[in-house]
């Protein structure tokens, strides 16, 4: 499965970089900044994770992640009109969701194997990995971060990571199948949110007040 | 004293999480984001400190910090109307100040014991630990950070940490009593700022110009 | 050359802190925040680099960097009217560019010697070191980051670091002379951008759309 999850990871990195450039293009961004923000979005979450776990950053030992992020950012920059076609943009959102799901579960695995703050800390790190890159992108580009919108992005990751930790705790013999299931659950929830524009229900949001 | 300072630390984490959710609630925030930002605010400063010191992050070896941050965020989210009652909000601000004071002095202690860049670097790290979580919260939620307001929050920490470093340098035999004194000094200054709405005096602020 | 590059590094730290305070002064900033943001701007990029390389942060073993950043911030705060005189401000911009050039090439050297993700990762780290402090400053003070402006700041760094990596790969016997050349190239490009107000050409910028 290693090789299969590796290629999904590469596809996820691609989607992170592509969606970053697409999201920023309407603000009028130059080529260099597009590539820098594409890279940061693609590898930022995993970098924060590796710093906290105190392990070497994942993109230094395998440069493919950086090359793919750079390539995807460049192609998106020059072919922006292609990517904004609705079907392709939607496709990228789904791959982005799949990448986030995979990175989150991989992170839980990694932290669990290191016996890092079980059972809670692996879940936290899974969420950090999935949303960290997007948060850095939004902060550096002056956009509202997804924490302040009602988008259902991180909640599916929370659910999937929690289920996976439950499985690792009580049924570790099913780890491989369970990992696939949890990736599938996160992706299914995220895909549903994309497909039907689902948002956080009103009763789970504090009432905004005029400042 | 270990056990006493541990419980003050837990109280400080609680106050950090509670004030984070209270500060963000008027912007209209969902449950999940409230918990994520509560956690980041509560443990963010100490995490940056541990990364810079290159020691394991403090919340991985003792999950109580995370559980308390999650619990406090949840309770605050659902009982927001209670917490915004003026007396309780004020109480939380005082505990937040006590937590910041304690974390700052603990950090100076930790960095000093590691002989990390004495005498200046421990003071810098003390300030980073006290204000880092709040800075992350404000940046991620699109608020103006406290560095751009006139609030007297970090200056008491600077004064207390500097005094404590002076004591460690010239009178290390009084470390335990000195630590208590410096926590008390930071807290007293911060409490005075809360109580009488003290701000940075005008002559210590550059004149703002129209952009 | 060690000693020469050390002093250029100190001059660069000075310029980073001075330009930080000058850039923030018109927003109305207090003394303490000016010093904190001066320090963060001056040492922020190198700190992120050291965390990613997993080496001790450079300012802990040599406190001169911090003292210089503090001193420069204080002087700038109180003598702001002097520094905003056009000639001095321009001079600071040039020294800031020289500092960025030097730190970037030093970083490539450091990462290359550690065999850290050659050949691509050293270039990425060079850029991170050169612009990281400024990005932190802008994010913490609510300014638009340079990634969203058309300023030619990071592109010269990219060009110089790439040339230097090419040289380290194919002509490592000329490392010392090559390092000087690449610093000179970065500085010359940046100086030209300052002198003639050069910006990123229009065809390399996506069309901004109304939100």
């Amino acid at each position: 499965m290693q090789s299969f999850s590796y290629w999904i990871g590469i596809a996820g990195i691609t989607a992170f970089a592509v969606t970053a450039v697409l999201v920023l293009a309407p603000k009028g961004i130059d080529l260099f900044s597009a590539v820098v923000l594409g890279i940061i979005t693609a590898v930022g979450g995993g970098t924060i994770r590796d710093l906290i776990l105190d392990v070497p950053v994942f993109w230094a030992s395998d440069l493919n992640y950086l090359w793919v992020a750079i390539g995807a950012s460049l192609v998106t920059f020059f072919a922006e009109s292609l990517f904004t076609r609705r079907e392709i943009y939607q496709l990228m959102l789904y791959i982005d969701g799949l990448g986030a799901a995979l990175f989150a579960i991989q992170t839980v695995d990694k932290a669990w194997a290191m016996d890092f703050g079980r059972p809670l800390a692996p879940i936290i790190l899974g969420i950090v990995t999935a949303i960290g890159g997007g948060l850095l992108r939004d902060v550096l580009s002056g956009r509202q971060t997804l924490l302040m919108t009602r988008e259902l992005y991180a909640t599916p990751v929370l659910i999937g990571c929690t289920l996976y930790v439950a499985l690792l705790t009580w049924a570790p013999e099913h780890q491989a199948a369970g990992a696939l299931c949890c990736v599938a659950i996160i992706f299914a929830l995220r895909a549903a949110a994309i497909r039907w524009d689902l948002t956080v229900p009103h009763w789970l949001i504090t009432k905004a007040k005029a400042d």
Side-chain angles (χ1 to χ4, degrees), chain A residues 133-148:
Chain A
L135 293 181
L136 286 174
R137 174 198 66 199
D138 292 342
V139 164
L140 289 172
S141 63
R143 297 177 76 235
Q144 198 178 38
T145 68
L146 63 87
L147 290 174
M148 303 311 286

Side-chain angles (χ1 to χ4, degrees), chain A residues 19-156:
Chain A
T19 49
V21 176
L22 291 182
V23 155
L24 297 171
K27 290 196 135 199
I29 193 171
D30 66 69
L31 176 61
F32 180 78
S33 300
V35 174
V36 169
L37 287 165
I39 295 174
I40 291 173
T41 309
V43 306
T47 303
I48 299 172
R49 173 201 62 198
D50 291 342
L51 291 180
I52 291 178
L53 285 176
D54 202 14
V55 298
V57 292
F58 70 100
W59 43 266
S61 52
D62 180 353
L63 291 179
N64 285 344
Y65 294 106
L66 291 180
W67 288 120
V68 161
I70 292 172
S73 303
L74 285 174
V75 168
T76 311
F77 184 87
F78 287 113
E80 191 213 334
S81 56
L82 171 70
F83 279 100
T84 44
R85 281 178 46 197
R86 187 165 166 78
E87 309 84 51
I88 297 193
Y89 184 61
Q90 287 263 331
L91 179 64
M92 283 297 142
L93 281 185
Y94 287 113
I95 299 180
D96 176 292
L98 186 57
L102 191 95
F103 290 139
I105 296 298
Q106 274 182 334
T107 296
V108 175
D109 240 5
K110 200 171 176 176
W112 194 269
M114 292 174 64
D115 196 10
F116 180 85
R118 293 181 192 172
L120 186 54
I123 299 175
I124 307 274
L125 280 187
I127 296 168
V128 165
T129 307
I131 71 175
L135 293 181
L136 286 174
R137 174 198 66 199
D138 292 342
V139 164
L140 289 172
S141 63
R143 297 177 76 235
Q144 198 178 38
T145 68
L146 63 87
L147 290 174
M148 303 311 286
T149 65
R150 295 175 179 183
E151 207 179 336
L152 270 175
Y153 192 103
T155 310

